[in-house]
Amino acid sequence: MGVKILEESVERVVATMPVEGNRQSFGLLHGGASLAVGEAVGSWAAVIHASTLGKTAVGVDVSATHHRSAREGKITITATPIYLGGTLTTHEVLITNDAGQRLCTLRITNLLIKPKK
């Protein structure tokens, strides 16, 4: 998918992905690609927080709204916490185009669990 992580911390995870190679048959950014990368970045943000508690994160819910699409360039994916608990995390994930326009908004909730040995 060509995803590159630019920044990663408990407060924020930022990544980019090219539209090229992630289009559907009409030449638009594939909605499934947006969901996949959004869930991956949001989950990574949850894992970073979970690691500070000696835990890991598993997704339990994700929802998304597509506002507009893109045909070229790259998208930026930014996950920020809404709630960072000891059992659950919820992150908002914004996907924007090169002009900074919002393409998609995701919300992802992860369950924090002790890693299996």
Side-chain angles (χ1 to χ4, degrees):
M1 293 179 72
V3 177
K4 293 183 181 175
I5 302 293
L6 304 180
E7 180 182 333
E8 54 186 333
S9 69
V10 171
E11 294 81 28
R12 189 166 107 133
V13 175
V14 180
T16 60
M17 184 181 82
V19 173
E20 178 72 34
N22 293 297
R23 294 186 184 113
Q24 40 89 309
S25 57
F26 297 115
L28 301 171
L29 174 64
H30 197 292
S34 293
L35 272 122
V37 73
E39 184 171 2
V41 172
S43 290
W44 185 242
V47 166
I48 293 169
H49 169 67
S51 71
T52 68
L53 305 171
K55 296 181 177 183
T56 192
V58 293
V60 295
D61 183 64
V62 65
S63 63
T65 301
H66 301 287
H67 308 290
R68 61 175 11 118
S69 193
R71 291 184 178 273
E72 57 189 22
K74 70 177 183 217
I75 61 172
T76 300
I77 308 95
T78 305
T80 54
I82 296 170
Y83 175 75
L84 295 175
T87 305
L88 286 175
T89 64
T90 303
H91 286 80
E92 179 180 61
V93 183
L94 300 180
I95 299 178
T96 57
N97 63 15
D98 288 328
Q101 297 170 308
R102 187 183 297 232
L103 304 181
C104 185
T105 305
L106 290 89
R107 190 191 72 191
I108 181 167
T109 300
N110 281 275
L111 177 66
L112 306 185
I113 60 171
K114 289 283 184 187
K116 293 187 179 183
K117 295 182 183 192

